[in-house]
Amino acid sequence: VPMSNILMNRTRSRIIRFLLRNGPSTCGQIGRELGASPSATRRQLGLLTEAGLVQRSSAQFSASAERVLLHAGALEASFQVNVMPP
């Protein structure tokens, strides 16, 4: 899924911040901390994983600041080219 197709909503942003702060976590741990339903948490984690912002190994999800910054830079470049051409 191209990063430009993943507009960052509040829940996805909170998931990434949680993972960066707390390290690898299960879907249940993330959902409980954020007060989100298991299905909503799974759906958002799926989108973030497809976009490459979150990695899954076994039953845990993780995020790295480097990967998030890399994708944020790609999103910014895409936004400038597609939405705000010179």
Side-chain angles (χ1 to χ4, degrees):
V1 176
M3 185 60 188
S4 58
N5 291 344
I6 299 292
L7 295 177
M8 197 54 67
N9 74 13
R10 185 170 184 249
T11 301
R12 287 190 286 269
S13 177
R14 291 178 67 211
I15 288 171
I16 289 173
R17 286 195 310 268
F18 174 84
L19 290 171
L20 291 174
R21 240 187 349 264
N22 299 289
S25 304
T26 66
C27 181
Q29 290 168 322
I30 296 165
R32 278 191 299 278
E33 178 68 25
L34 302 182
S37 71
S39 62
T41 304
R42 275 192 303 277
R43 184 173 48 253
Q44 301 305 333
L45 283 165
L47 290 169
L48 290 168
T49 301
E50 286 180 41
L53 287 162
V54 168
Q55 297 77 48
R56 180 180 183 173
S57 69
S58 182
Q60 292 193 322
F61 295 86
S62 62
S64 73
E66 295 79 16
R67 198 173 219 13
V68 171
L69 289 173
L70 174 70
H71 285 286
L75 178 61
E76 179 181 12
S78 171
F79 182 81
Q80 289 176 351
V81 169
N82 296 324
V83 178
M84 305 207 37

